[in-house]
Amino acid sequence: MNVLITGVSKGLGLKLTEVLLNNGCTVYGISRSLSPELERLITEFGSNLKWLRYDLSDTNNLKTEVFKHWIGLGTPIHAFVNNAALAYDDVITNMNLDALENMYAVNVFSPLMMTKLVIRQMLLHKIKGSIVHISSISVHTGYKGLSMYASTKGALEAFSKNTAREWGALGIRSNCVVAGFMETEMSSTLSEDQKNRIYQRTSLKQQVDVESVANTISFLLSDESRSITGQNIHVDCGTI
Amino acid sequence: MENKILEIVNTVLENRGKKAIRKINPSMSLRNDLDMDSLDLAELTVRIEAEFDIDIFEDGIVNTVGEIYAKLNIK
């Protein structure tokens, strides 16, 4: 199974890449930078992990650079995980349009265009593929400073549900994994006190385990989840 | 070239369990005469692009076989 993943250099994307490689998948991974951890995976898994340096704020060149030149139209894509994201955190009254537009390019516009290109490639190869978008608990529970970021993830949840309806007739599935707060770089700007207060709001009173999120994504990509589409699967330690 | 389009149209029709056709002509409507819905047309445009490297739907709707030929510059 060929899986296209964005944001593979660190955090959830890196863990997911490792999980899928260990499951025997071939991973086409995209990130802006090459981390030492990713380099180790490339050394260990060789040609099963293909990596491209690409900045997703460049929405215009996705088709040519990623799909035509790198993956190639002749290569079937069985699954797509839209994981890369920017977190632009601030209170609404400080909102900066350039920062907002950049975050929307990376979190929304590029993922939407990539979904278009992935579905086209699935059609060409007659693949009943699986698409997973990584959403955030901030869509469902408010947090101070996360309104702009949460709005990008809310857009993805709406897009995913409609993707599921539009392409379900051809067996193409789309789901969101709604992740709670994990100990990754994405949440590194939060203070210990802020993190503890967030964790106390969960049923399990702890941070979300990155590997648990990665395993849930892996399940949604697999045939085991063949009857699941158009859903938001919360992996958030019970933030209810 | 036109035979290639016929072949691609039939690939799409057969993938949907629809009956293949023997001939096409430029005046044929993709939706009404070839019985293609929006998902069929999506596959058609993908297969034409894979063959000719031109996205026929990129800048507007294509309704007839003749309009496909025009996009591909087939006289």
Side-chain angles (χ1 to χ4, degrees), chain A residues 63 68 73 116 120 123-126 166-167 169-170, chain B residues 15-16 39 42-43 45-47 49-50 53 55 58:
Chain A
K63 182 176 182 177
K68 279 193 172 170
L73 287 181
K116 165 190 171 172
R120 290 176 71 126
L123 289 178
L124 188 59
H125 294 277
K126 292 206 277 183
E166 191 170 294
W167 293 96
L170 298 190
Chain B
N15 282 344
R16 296 293 178 283
L39 300 193
E43 184 178 336
T45 189
V46 166
R47 293 196 179 281
E49 185 178 16
D53 202 27
D55 182 353
E58 195 158 37

Side-chain angles (χ1 to χ4, degrees), chain A residues 122-191:
Chain A
M122 287 173 176
L123 289 178
L124 188 59
H125 294 277
K126 292 206 277 183
I127 287 167
K128 297 177 175 180
S130 174
I131 297 165
V132 173
H133 298 277
I134 308 306
S135 184
S136 158
I137 189 60
S138 60
V139 174
H140 304 271
T141 306
Y143 296 88
K144 192 176 85 183
L146 290 188
S147 56
M148 286 90 83
Y149 171 75
S151 73
T152 66
K153 295 300 188 181
L156 292 178
E157 289 192 11
F159 181 68
S160 173
K161 196 169 282 280
N162 286 271
T163 304
R165 174 63 82 174
E166 191 170 294
W167 293 96
L170 298 190
I172 296 172
R173 299 183 293 117
S174 180
N175 292 288
C176 287
V177 166
V178 184
F181 281 86
M182 295 172 274
E183 198 63 56
T184 61
E185 200 181 296
M186 189 74 104
S187 56
S188 62
T189 53
L190 297 171
S191 69

Side-chain angles (χ1 to χ4, degrees), chain B:
Chain B
M1 204 82 95
E2 292 173 22
N3 283 341
K4 192 72 208 177
I5 298 294
L6 175 63
E7 188 186 319
I8 292 171
V9 164
N10 277 332
T11 300
V12 174
L13 291 175
E14 282 165 6
N15 282 344
R16 296 293 178 283
K18 294 176 184 173
K19 212 170 158 217
I21 54 169
R22 291 164 70 181
K23 279 210 285 202
I24 49 173
N25 65 63
S27 65
M28 277 179 157
S29 157
L30 300 174
R31 283 181 182 270
N32 299 328
D33 298 320
L34 298 182
D35 191 26
M36 289 188 159
D37 64 18
S38 56
L39 300 193
D40 301 337
L41 292 173
E43 184 178 336
L44 179 72
T45 189
V46 166
R47 293 196 179 281
I48 288 175
E49 185 178 16
E51 184 69 32
F52 298 99
D53 202 27
I54 294 173
D55 182 353
I56 57 169
F57 274 92
E58 195 158 37
D59 53 2
I61 301 292
V62 172
N63 294 306
T64 65
V65 171
E67 286 168 32
I68 295 178
Y69 292 165
K71 294 266 182 187
L72 301 179
N73 284 322
I74 300 174
K75 294 279 176 349

Side-chain angles (χ1 to χ4, degrees), chain A:
Chain A
M1 181 163 83
N2 296 328
V3 187
L4 174 62
I5 311 174
T6 61
V8 292
S9 65
K10 53 200 172 189
L12 175 60
L14 180 70
K15 176 52 79 179
L16 175 65
T17 299
E18 188 184 350
V19 166
L20 292 177
L21 286 167
N22 280 319
N23 288 349
C25 295
T26 296
V27 173
Y28 286 78
I30 294 174
S31 57
R32 278 181 302 177
S33 59
L34 181 60
S35 64
E37 295 86 352
L38 182 61
E39 256 185 305
R40 262 201 297 281
L41 286 182
I42 291 171
T43 307
E44 187 181 346
F45 288 93
S47 62
N48 284 344
L49 174 53
K50 301 170 198 309
W51 177 71
L52 177 72
R53 186 190 299 275
Y54 192 88
D55 185 341
L56 291 172
S57 61
D58 179 4
T59 305
N60 287 322
N61 290 307
L62 283 167
K63 182 176 182 177
T64 313
E65 305 253 325
V66 176
F67 288 83
K68 279 193 172 170
H69 293 165
W70 181 53
I71 300 174
L73 287 181
T75 304
I77 302 172
H78 303 91
F80 169 47
V81 182
N82 164 34
N83 166 70
L86 289 180
Y88 163 46
D89 305 344
D90 211 334
V91 292
I92 295 168
T93 44
N94 287 341
M95 197 186 309
N96 173 281
L97 184 58
D98 287 341
L100 188 69
E101 285 180 345
N102 188 44
M103 179 171 64
Y104 261 83
V106 173
N107 293 13
V108 181
F109 300 146
S110 283
L112 264 54
M113 290 306 290
M114 289 183 81
T115 303
K116 165 190 171 172
L117 296 162
V118 162
I119 291 176
R120 290 176 71 126
Q121 206 129 329
M122 287 173 176
L123 289 178
L124 188 59
H125 294 277
K126 292 206 277 183
I127 287 167
K128 297 177 175 180
S130 174
I131 297 165
V132 173
H133 298 277
I134 308 306
S135 184
S136 158
I137 189 60
S138 60
V139 174
H140 304 271
T141 306
Y143 296 88
K144 192 176 85 183
L146 290 188
S147 56
M148 286 90 83
Y149 171 75
S151 73
T152 66
K153 295 300 188 181
L156 292 178
E157 289 192 11
F159 181 68
S160 173
K161 196 169 282 280
N162 286 271
T163 304
R165 174 63 82 174
E166 191 170 294
W167 293 96
L170 298 190
I172 296 172
R173 299 183 293 117
S174 180
N175 292 288
C176 287
V177 166
V178 184
F181 281 86
M182 295 172 274
E183 198 63 56
T184 61
E185 200 181 296
M186 189 74 104
S187 56
S188 62
T189 53
L190 297 171
S191 69
E192 281 306 309
D193 184 47
Q194 281 173 312
K195 284 181 191 171
N196 283 333
R197 271 190 286 135
I198 287 168
Y199 301 149
Q200 285 307 311
R201 282 169 73 173
T202 70
S203 303
L204 296 175
K205 309 285 182 203
Q206 58 188 8
Q207 60 177 275
V208 171
D209 176 41
V210 179
E211 195 167 353
S212 178
V213 181
N215 286 332
T216 306
I217 299 165
S218 174
F219 166 70
L220 287 172
L221 300 183
S222 74
D223 194 49
E224 298 284 300
S225 64
R226 58 191 170 275
S227 296
I228 303 175
T229 192
Q231 299 304 310
N232 300 325
I233 309 294
H234 286 245
V235 186
D236 60 4
C237 289
T239 309
I240 46 181

